[in-house]
Amino acid sequence: MGGEEKRKPAARFEDLDVWQKAHSLVLAVYKLTSTFPKSETFGLLGQMRRAAISVPANIVEGFHRRSVSEKLRFLNISQGSLQELRYFLMLTEDLDFAETVSVREEATQVGRLLTAYMKGIERRAALNS
């Protein structure tokens, strides 16, 4: 068979590859930040964890929205949180708190999947209109 394989829409957010990878990213951020100095408990550590958690949380919220524009709005928020996390990862290295290469690679992968997911939603919406 040639062309793209047509995939059945996910029935649950847990079935989305992008959510699974974003959830894995959160776990990696928690592991990374567990080594931070105690003085960062209410600083960078908290900011990083909130940004990381926001990525899959907004994917979930968007998944359950009915309108395409609402879905895309939450996914765009997820993208913004991912970019915020990327900056925090750079700052982590600049402050010599930890090496972040593997977590940054995970963030890049989540970003690619998120962009592809959004484009798929837009494509399906265009076909159905």
Side-chain angles (χ1 to χ4, degrees), residues 6-77:
K6 191 163 186 165
R7 291 181 72 174
K8 184 178 165 193
R12 308 171 319 140
F13 70 84
E14 295 97 325
D15 297 329
L16 296 171
D17 291 340
V18 66
W19 178 85
Q20 292 171 10
K21 295 291 185 187
H23 178 68
S24 177
L25 178 62
V26 172
L27 299 178
V29 167
Y30 265 75
K31 185 175 181 180
L32 176 74
T33 56
S34 69
T35 66
F36 280 19
K38 286 282 184 214
S39 63
E40 286 302 316
T41 300
F42 300 106
L44 184 57
L45 182 149
Q47 291 279 88
M48 281 182 77
R49 288 180 175 183
R50 277 189 290 282
I53 290 167
S54 178
V55 177
N58 278 290
I59 292 169
V60 170
E61 194 156 355
F63 182 82
H64 290 285
R65 297 297 171 153
R66 292 192 181 267
S67 79
V68 169
S69 63
E70 282 190 50
K71 284 181 182 298
L72 293 174
R73 183 171 67 87
F74 281 98
L75 295 173
N76 186 250
I77 292 168

